[in-house]
Amino acid sequence: MTDDSEPAGDDAVAGLPRSDPLAAVSPLDGRYASRTAPLSPYASEAGLMRARTRVEVEYLIELAALDATPIALDDETEAALRDAYESFSAEDARLIKALEVEGAEGYDATNHDVKAVEYFLRVRLDDLESSGTVDDAEALSPWIHFGLTSEDVNNLAHRLLLKPAVSEVLVPAVREVRDALADLAREHRETPMLARTHGQPATPTTFGKEMAVYASRLGRALGRVVVANGDLSGKLAGASGTYAAHDAAYPDVDWRAFSESFVRGLDLEHTPLATQVNPCDDLAALFDALRGVNNVLLDLDLDAWLYVSDRYLGQRAVEGETGSSTMPHKVNPIDFENSEGNLSKANSDLAFLGDYVTSSRLQRDLSDSTVKRNVGGALAHCLIGYSKAEDGLAKVVPNEAVMREELAATPEVIGEAVQTILRREGDTDAYERVKELTRGRSVTLDDFRELFGDLDVDEDVREELRALTPAGYVGVADELVDEIDG
């Protein structure tokens, strides 16, 4: 059965047609339509129709190649059949929809989206017979969808859409963010910055090293997405996963081997054990991997927002752009905020999808069918989040002067270095000595130097201590930036 209901009318607000982005129900196809457009071939209804057509055509071709079946296709006919999905057009999509909801080309309305694809291919076979490409369309028609259940087609079609959506759209978008972070890391590898642990001043770092942490984390998380995407797995085993219809028709054919060969021919892994439903553990793993990427970027969005708030990061103003409707001086960190909101929405959707698609009552229920139609929405929120994070990174300008001023105003952060050097010299009271000087007090470098003058240490150690400064106490932070490429 179809999951769709037809719109009640053609007009939206103030006479706007429903096709106008201003009348879109979702901002994914309205406000953010230009950002989500790259996903349209993989997330749209027309894209799903095309993918189903591909599965049905390739299945027909594989059936015809079996010695057991009474049909055969020459190269010209195979090419003509493949053209049904390779040249799939808007008119083709509209015809399939008409076959489903209205009836067309002599067929009554199917009220079934996969059956509509089957009838669409029958129409195309008739066209090929009329053109002389096919000798007997009627003889081939019974072999379209032979022995299949709709889920055999759907589970493969969804993965044929999801896999390139991730590899061709999402992965490159994440790599752009990762590369932007790596560029910032390398450019500012030596820019000293006060760190904060528990929100309090802590051992200094460099801005570049902090960006390198995110670049490295994002690279690892992206690697998990690539692996999970490569592990997408399909099934083709009939109504209850037993190959019963196939075996009844041709018991001498090794249908398990046929299924594995066919699924792998679509560049998917093969699921040999299933009910009518592909268990979808592969989808859950991919959704979880995408959430891992999103979590890294959510962490980045929050830190970037705080760095802007602390004036560690300035933002390039866009000529003519309004920052605040009432405060003209403001340049708000809206890109990071927008990224945060969209990635949070994406993660909510991905968690729901991962939980939902792995469950089915007994051998099959249809609740997952409508849910899977929302995978594209989750990917779209991911894509918006990635592009907005990249936009934000392109606008930020590290404010080294502010960073150095705050470091100079927080000399207590060298306390860790002082007590560690004193421990090295055998001072068992080193920690307590520095704690007494610094905790709960406002101190200066002169206070430290007064302490150094009272210490019973060699003069070279005293000079080592006097040379300590907050801006210089960054360890090997600049060298750690090279770990991005390690």
Side-chain angles (χ1 to χ4, degrees):
M1 299 289 287
T2 179
D3 294 80
D4 303 319
S5 58
E6 290 303 297
D10 293 330
D11 291 338
V13 178
L16 287 171
R18 289 179 61 89
S19 58
D20 192 308
L22 293 175
V25 172
S26 166
L28 299 177
D29 291 317
R31 183 177 185 85
Y32 301 123
S34 63
R35 291 183 182 266
T36 61
L39 285 169
S40 182
Y42 313 109
S44 62
E45 182 77 5
L48 182 56
M49 291 172 177
R50 180 180 182 275
R52 286 167 169 158
T53 301
R54 177 183 172 187
V55 173
E56 295 279 15
V57 165
E58 292 299 334
Y59 177 70
L60 176 61
I61 290 171
E62 288 299 307
L63 281 180
L66 289 173
D67 292 337
T69 59
I71 55 174
L73 303 174
D74 58 27
D75 291 346
E76 181 184 5
T77 303
E78 288 184 5
L81 286 170
R82 287 191 170 108
D83 189 64
Y85 67 82
E86 290 173 349
S87 300
F88 194 82
S89 66
E91 289 72 22
D92 293 331
R94 292 189 184 100
L95 175 55
I96 292 174
K97 196 64 179 178
L99 286 164
E100 178 190 349
V101 302
E102 302 169 2
E105 300 289 339
Y107 293 95
D108 293 333
T110 64
N111 198 30
H112 193 293
D113 43 12
V114 176
K115 200 67 176 177
V117 173
E118 178 183 342
Y119 289 173
F120 164 74
L121 286 173
R122 290 187 181 185
V123 172
R124 286 291 168 262
L125 280 176
D126 290 339
D127 293 341
L128 291 175
E129 183 178 40
S130 297
S131 67
T133 305
V134 171
D135 292 331
D136 189 351
E138 187 174 353
L140 284 177
S141 289
W143 298 93
I144 302 171
H145 202 71
F146 177 82
L148 298 183
T149 185
S150 297
E151 181 60 12
D152 287 326
V153 176
N154 280 335
N155 91 97
L156 296 171
H158 280 299
R159 285 160 178 78
L160 289 176
L161 296 173
L162 179 58
K163 191 168 186 175
V166 171
S167 64
E168 302 300 319
V169 181
L170 295 192
V171 168
V174 176
R175 284 192 176 129
E176 289 289 334
V177 181
R178 189 262 184 192
D179 290 346
L181 288 166
D183 289 344
L184 276 173
R186 296 186 184 101
E187 183 179 354
H188 298 280
R189 63 191 302 151
E190 297 180 352
T191 302
M193 182 183 80
L194 181 68
R196 287 185 173 84
T197 59
H198 307 280
Q200 306 302 307
T203 300
T205 181
T206 69
F207 180 74
K209 178 261 177 184
E210 298 310 306
M211 295 301 100
V213 170
Y214 279 113
S216 180
R217 289 179 63 195
L218 195 56
R220 290 195 300 272
L222 185 57
R224 291 189 287 273
V225 169
V226 171
V227 169
N229 200 44
D231 287 342
L232 290 181
S233 178
K235 64 83 69 171
L236 185 136
S240 295
T242 64
Y243 302 92
H246 293 84
D247 188 64
Y250 292 103
D252 293 332
V253 172
D254 187 345
W255 289 108
R256 287 184 295 171
F258 175 92
S259 174
E260 181 173 4
S261 175
F262 177 70
V263 172
R264 290 189 182 278
L266 296 174
D267 196 29
L268 298 170
E269 296 299 311
H270 179 243
T271 301
L273 282 170
T275 59
Q276 184 177 118
V277 180
N278 186 327
C280 292
D281 298 314
D282 58 331
L283 298 187
L286 177 56
F287 298 155
D288 187 62
L290 285 169
R291 289 180 66 234
V293 165
N294 296 351
N295 284 335
V296 174
L297 290 177
L298 281 166
D299 205 14
L300 170 69
D301 289 333
L302 291 170
D303 275 0
W305 190 94
L306 290 167
Y307 289 147
V308 170
S309 177
D310 288 341
R311 298 193 303 124
Y312 283 11
L313 291 179
Q315 297 181 99
R316 296 183 182 91
V318 177
E319 185 69 27
E321 184 179 79
T322 298
S324 166
S325 64
T326 187
M327 293 173 280
H329 68 282
K330 292 181 69 181
V331 181
N332 295 328
I334 55 174
D335 291 313
F336 295 115
E337 293 169 338
N338 190 297
S339 176
E340 179 187 346
N342 274 284
L343 293 178
S344 297
K345 178 64 166 68
N347 274 4
S348 176
D349 290 350
L350 290 167
F352 165 73
L353 288 166
D355 288 342
Y356 204 96
V357 300
T358 53
S359 300
S360 179
R361 284 184 286 275
L362 301 179
Q363 284 69 52
R364 177 64 165 137
D365 75 89
L366 268 176
S367 58
D368 69 310
S369 179
T370 188
V371 167
K372 286 175 182 173
R373 292 177 183 273
N374 292 281
V375 170
L379 302 188
H381 282 294
C382 287
L383 183 59
I384 297 168
Y386 304 156
S387 65
K388 284 293 188 177
E390 184 185 2
D391 288 350
L393 291 172
K395 291 179 184 177
V396 295
V397 182
N399 194 335
E400 185 172 351
V402 170
M403 294 181 192
R404 287 186 177 276
E405 287 172 9
E406 186 150 12
L407 278 171
T410 320
E412 62 267 26
V413 295
I414 68 168
E416 178 193 42
V418 171
Q419 67 101 3
T420 303
I421 291 172
L422 292 180
R423 282 172 179 256
R424 182 195 69 194
E425 297 302 310
D427 187 342
T428 57
D429 294 325
Y431 180 85
E432 287 72 17
R433 198 186 308 278
V434 175
K435 182 175 76 170
E436 183 179 352
L437 174 68
T438 59
R439 181 169 294 184
R441 297 178 54 192
S442 178
V443 296
T444 66
L445 284 179
D446 287 340
D447 294 324
F448 275 105
R449 287 164 184 153
E450 184 177 341
L451 171 65
F452 302 156
D454 294 335
L455 294 174
D456 182 18
V457 294
D458 293 340
E459 190 58 30
D460 59 339
V461 175
R462 203 182 319 276
E463 289 304 313
E464 181 183 3
L465 292 168
R466 286 172 176 161
L468 290 170
T469 64
Y473 184 46
V474 294
V476 295
D478 63 326
E479 298 174 20
L480 288 171
V481 170
D482 295 329
E483 294 291 336
I484 296 174
D485 301 315

